[in-house]
Amino acid sequence: MSTESPKNTALNRISKIVDQTFEESEIFREEVNREELMQIYSDLMDNGLPPENLISITEGELTRRVRQLMAMELLGTLLDGLTPEEIRIFNEAVEGR
């Protein structure tokens, strides 16, 4: 019988997916901060996301969700180096103008 808390169980599942994604993708490995990403998930669970929800979903669905958050974090790092004009152009492109 496991004495691990549901939160730790969920974080361990997420951690394995993050590590696997880092192994597969150099850009994620270089641009996404692993500790910050894991802190986001920890904070989510501390603020109302039941860890059981993350434990009960399939590996494929959890992988999809984790990678979506990683992609959002990556996008944030890519936008950091843009000038205001470049950000305006980016926003217009995203909005479809």
Side-chain angles (χ1 to χ4, degrees), residues 42-92:
S42 180
D43 291 347
L44 284 170
M45 286 183 268
D46 288 343
N47 293 303
L49 175 65
E52 293 81 6
N53 289 3
L54 298 173
I55 294 169
S56 66
I57 62 176
T58 67
E59 195 70 18
E61 179 62 15
L62 184 59
T63 298
R64 184 186 70 75
R65 291 181 186 187
V66 169
R67 288 184 176 175
Q68 279 182 330
L69 180 60
M70 291 177 75
M72 290 186 335
E73 289 294 306
L74 178 61
L75 182 58
T77 64
L78 295 176
L79 294 177
D80 285 345
L82 298 181
T83 66
E85 176 66 11
E86 291 169 327
I87 292 172
R88 183 189 62 74
I89 293 168
F90 173 82
N91 286 336
E92 287 176 0

Side-chain angles (χ1 to χ4, degrees), residues 33-49:
N33 183 300
R34 185 185 193 291
E35 287 74 30
E36 288 178 12
L37 186 68
M38 295 307 297
Q39 188 60 52
I40 290 170
Y41 276 106
S42 180
D43 291 347
L44 284 170
M45 286 183 268
D46 288 343
N47 293 303
L49 175 65

Side-chain angles (χ1 to χ4, degrees), residues 5-15 45 51 54-55 62:
S5 73
K7 179 180 175 182
N8 284 340
T9 299
L11 287 173
N12 285 336
R13 281 188 77 196
I14 292 166
S15 178
M45 286 183 268
L54 298 173
I55 294 169
L62 184 59

